[in-house]
Amino acid sequence: MRNPYLIVTLLEAFEWYDECLQLSMQSLGWPELSRSESMVMMHVQLNNVRPADIARSLRLTRQAVHHTIGALVDRGILELVDDPTDGRVRIVQLTELGRAMRRDARKIVNGLGKVLGDKIGDAEFEHLRSILQREWGPPVIVREGTGPGKKYQEDFASAEGASLKRNSRSGRGSKRGVRRKIS
């Protein structure tokens, strides 16, 4: 039996698509991308080009995203340029090599749609696509369940405090090393 949770099914579907894309790209001679590099590339495709915005969307630290972007810059796929709307900020853009990579990726993704259509039926594939392309609206909070309770909230707070204390002793600053939401 498949997992009954839609979120797991969506993740499995995404991973299948991404794995097929990566293997297909490699078969053409393109370099292998890690999952995080692939995710950054998808955000650039969505015109989400500020590293801080990519980090916020992926719920990763800016440092982690800058590291991933740096690896793609080193390989000649991306470049960092000044934001024309805000000179204080650098944005990510595809290089000529990156644009060629994107062209092949688009062709492969279209081909994967045909493969999936053959597997599940063209009408089902188009129905699935139309459902997933609908506007879902902003994120919502669903208050089901009981939450961690007071004891666990205290455990979370003391664990974060210990992490802050450990980082300040190591000279890394009071908040570094603690994963937090980027505002």
Side-chain angles (χ1 to χ4, degrees):
M1 178 177 141
R2 303 261 335 194
N3 193 300
Y5 299 106
L6 178 60
I7 192 169
V8 174
T9 303
L10 290 171
L11 177 63
E12 289 172 337
F14 167 78
E15 288 177 343
W16 179 85
Y17 244 99
D18 190 54
E19 187 69 20
C20 291
L21 172 61
Q22 296 308 319
L23 291 171
S24 299
M25 293 291 286
Q26 290 171 45
S27 77
L28 295 175
W30 290 108
E32 181 178 353
L33 296 183
S34 70
R35 183 63 48 90
S36 58
E37 289 169 336
S38 180
M39 295 298 294
V40 166
M41 294 291 286
M42 282 188 244
H43 278 77
V44 172
Q45 174 67 26
L46 293 169
N47 202 32
N48 191 3
V49 294
R50 287 184 172 194
D53 293 341
I54 295 170
R56 188 177 302 110
S57 178
L58 293 174
R59 295 190 331 173
L60 296 171
T61 64
R62 287 188 292 189
Q63 293 83 354
V65 169
H66 274 286
H67 177 76
T68 302
I69 289 169
L72 291 166
V73 168
D74 290 346
R75 290 156 72 189
I77 298 168
L78 295 179
E79 61 186 345
L80 285 166
V81 298
D82 291 334
D83 185 337
T85 64
D86 184 349
R88 301 168 298 164
V89 177
R90 309 244 315 152
I91 60 172
V92 178
Q93 69 181 24
L94 295 169
T95 62
E96 184 177 330
L97 179 67
R99 287 188 296 278
M101 194 175 189
R102 179 179 61 187
R103 279 191 296 276
D104 280 350
R106 284 179 174 168
K107 291 175 186 174
I108 291 167
V109 167
N110 287 335
L112 288 172
K114 292 176 183 139
V115 169
L116 190 54
D118 290 344
K119 287 180 178 286
I120 67 173
D122 291 334
E124 291 289 291
F125 175 74
E126 287 306 320
H127 186 65
L128 174 65
R129 180 199 307 259
S130 73
I131 289 169
L132 292 174
Q133 288 179 337
R134 290 180 188 162
E135 178 59 44
W136 291 23
V140 298
I141 296 172
V142 176
R143 297 209 184 267
E144 298 290 332
T146 59
K150 186 172 182 157
K151 180 203 180 313
Y152 292 110
Q153 288 173 341
E154 291 168 359
D155 290 347
F156 294 148
S158 66
E160 185 172 295
S163 178
L164 290 172
K165 200 179 286 185
R166 190 172 45 253
N167 289 336
S168 68
R169 278 196 305 261
S170 68
R172 292 179 19 201
S174 62
K175 291 211 176 217
R176 294 186 78 177
V178 176
R179 184 175 170 175
R180 62 187 185 278
K181 188 174 180 182
I182 299 171
S183 44

